[in-house]
Amino acid sequence: MISRRQFTQSLSALAVSASTGVLNAATEASSIEAAETDAARQIAPAKDSSPFRLGIIGAGSRGQELIRSFLRVPGVSVAAAADVYEPRFAQLNRICGHEVAPHKDYRALLDRKDLDAVIVATPLGLHGEHVVAALSSGHHVYGEKVMAYTVEQANAIVAAASENKRIYQIGHQYRYSPWIRAAVQRVQQGEIGDVTHIIGYWHRNNDWRRPVPDPSLEHLINWRLYHQWSLGLIAELGSHHMDIANWVFGEYPEAALASGSICRYHDGRETDDNVQAILSYSGGRRFIFTSITDNAKMGDQLWLYGTKGSLNLTLQDATFFYEPKKITKPVVAANGKDEGVVTSASYNPSNEMPYRGPGKPVDVSTAEDPTTAATRAFIYCVRTGTSPIADAKVGLGSALGVIQANESLRLRKEIPISSKA
Ligand SMILES: NC(=O)c1ccc[n+]([C@@H]2O[C@H](COP(=O)([O-])OP(=O)(O)OC[C@H]3O[C@@H](n4cnc5c(N)ncnc54)[C@H](O)[C@@H]3O)[C@@H](O)[C@H]2O)c1
């Protein structure tokens, strides 16, 4: 089992004295608090309302949701959009309440000199090309997850943000959710002991398929179902959970082992309709992700298991559960006499029952939608030149896990994770 020392070292190198390597608890606590103060500043209501003009590449479902969020930030307007699917322009105009300059080719949008930042919300297979081009042409970027489809592309995005000194924020909006931040901070401070396992469920009961007006548009509309554009459920759903696992464990995963199949929807799709993935971290710690698409009982929830308790995270709340002091009763002979082995390792039905103690919800003052907070924080970061909470390093971590978990699905073996392509 990983020690508290190892855990905290990986959490923040800053918490360790450079000369001795000895953990400084006070430094650790203050570095967690400093991160929270910085996050609170980014998420706070905007004070600045100076004009801020956005461009968007890929104004589909998520792109439009992002625009609705961005328009809530004082001063923000949408100046231009690039999309290869014509109906998107009229949809966007309705949301914005005015004509947004349309571009069929994203490069024409990037040639504009009147944009303060660009949103990239195209299918995953195109993120690398679109985000690198946007950063390299001098634009700050809010880029949807997953960062990129290949390790090379993910590294190219990290390099382009750094070399061009541009802000890149990845669409892992749960990092901006007040109840998740508050809960993770308490976990980092040791509230549930050493966290060794994180299990993410994202279960749905629908086929993930969208209606297509013309068969020639099948790949454009249902890109999630095809390998050329998509890394499947691990990318589209699991990446959010994996990002939280990276955050809590304080490092990127070391290896990925995944399995999946097309179990229910035999409709020509290529990506699996159910997946199971195990991501390994140092000290034997594990993040385990499961997604099925024909039963929604478990919904979307993440469980963090620590030696002293558990944390349940959902899209609306966070709840702590604490391990009972004594969690096992030893096995005794049926006649009640002690006449042999007495152990808590053996089977005893009462020991195997799920612990149903009362949970303690995390109390936060706001249940604001995380995307609203994330988009507001991005505008703050660009306006003030602040590095985002969910920056390129955050994006790289979940991208590496997603990409190599898919490699594991393909090759049917465990894949080591490295940022070297
Ligand atoms: N952060 C989140 O919670 C969240 C939620 C949903 C989707 N997403 C991400 O957002 C991205 C988009 O997902 P979506 O559901 O909006 O997909 P979508 O298909 O609804 O939208 C994608 C848009 O990109 C356009 N497009 C395709 N090729 C293009 C090109 N070459 N140039 C310009 N535009 C092009 C499409 O026409 C479409 O309008 C994905 O990466 C997805 O994972 C993130």
Side-chain angles (χ1 to χ4, degrees), residues 91-238:
Q91 292 164 2
L92 199 57
N93 290 347
R94 277 199 294 280
I95 293 169
C96 295
H98 61 85
E99 167 93 10
V100 173
H103 298 281
K104 279 253 167 206
D105 187 328
Y106 76 91
R107 286 166 294 198
L109 180 139
L110 295 181
D111 283 343
R112 296 176 68 111
K113 302 290 174 233
D114 61 345
L115 303 177
D116 294 301
V118 169
I119 303 164
V120 175
T122 45
L124 170 54
L126 296 165
H127 289 182
E129 176 187 339
H130 291 161
V131 174
V132 169
L135 292 167
S136 304
S137 59
H139 297 284
H140 302 294
V141 174
Y142 186 101
E144 261 313 336
K145 47 54 67 173
V146 173
M147 185 188 230
Y149 184 85
T150 67
V151 176
E152 292 92 335
Q153 292 166 359
N155 283 330
I157 290 174
V158 175
S162 157
E163 284 159 16
N164 295 287
K165 299 191 173 42
R166 298 293 90 183
I167 285 168
Y168 169 83
Q169 184 172 317
I170 181 78
H172 278 318
Q173 66 270 11
Y174 300 110
R175 294 236 180 190
Y176 296 80
S177 154
W179 60 95
I180 294 179
R181 287 208 77 80
V184 169
Q185 186 182 4
R186 282 165 58 176
V187 169
Q188 289 171 337
Q189 288 163 341
E191 183 150 336
I192 56 171
D194 289 335
V195 177
T196 54
H197 289 81
I198 300 179
I199 303 187
Y201 301 87
W202 204 322
H203 291 186
R204 289 176 168 176
N205 198 341
N206 69 52
D207 64 6
W208 227 22
R209 181 168 270 294
R210 292 165 163 179
V212 177
D214 181 293
S216 67
L217 298 172
E218 169 64 9
H219 270 238
L220 182 65
I221 305 269
N222 281 312
W223 60 268
R224 282 178 171 80
L225 307 182
Y226 299 98
H227 291 312
Q228 188 181 352
W229 316 105
S230 170
L231 293 174
L233 289 163
I234 298 174
E236 293 306 308
L237 306 182

Side-chain angles (χ1 to χ4, degrees), residues 9 18 21 23 52 60 72 83 86 121 136 138 168 198 208 227 247 293 298 329 358 368 376 395 410 421:
Q9 273 182 323
L23 176 68
F52 193 106
R72 292 192 197 111
D83 204 297
E86 186 74 31
S136 304
Y168 169 83
I198 300 179
W208 227 22
H227 291 312
W247 180 13
T293 49
M298 297 305 281
K329 291 190 186 120
E368 183 181 51
R376 187 173 60 240
R410 195 173 68 82

